[in-house]
Amino acid sequence: GTQWVFFYTIKSKISKKLVAFFKKNNIQISFFWKPLHFQKPYRNYFRTNMFFSNHIWSRLLTLPSSAGLSKKDQKKIIKTTNSFFKVK
């Protein structure tokens, strides 16, 4: 099916606790793509101040998203996310 990326920006770096919580609830989350300047082939290339990239990339929580997700799965993802972040 068609897939796209849906993510939340969170206040602190993604923790092992967060990953474990979603894993326990059988929801696969992932990290956003590592910026190019952190990847081995590009580490030695010239770059300007990368403050924003360095700050934000580890705070992007990528949630499951697909046109094929059932309403039941969507509700579970929402409920689990809200539960972890204590949203009412």
Side-chain angles (χ1 to χ4, degrees), residues 1-4 64-70 74:
T2 303
Q3 297 198 12
W4 60 92
S65 57
S66 167
L69 279 177
S70 68
Q74 291 174 37

Side-chain angles (χ1 to χ4, degrees), residues 35-38 46-56:
L36 288 176
H37 68 281
F38 284 141
F46 173 79
R47 59 181 174 264
T48 59
N49 182 336
M50 300 294 211
F51 174 79
F52 184 76
S53 293
N54 294 342
H55 174 76
I56 199 71

Side-chain angles (χ1 to χ4, degrees), residues 8-14 55-61:
Y8 278 109
T9 305
I10 58 178
K11 292 181 182 180
S12 60
K13 289 184 178 182
I14 296 173
H55 174 76
I56 199 71
W57 81 274
S58 62
R59 291 166 173 78
L60 297 174
L61 171 63

Side-chain angles (χ1 to χ4, degrees), residues 75-86:
K75 288 178 181 181
K76 179 180 179 181
I77 293 164
I78 292 166
K79 183 179 177 180
T80 303
T81 303
N82 287 344
S83 176
F84 183 84
F85 292 106
K86 313 255 188 292

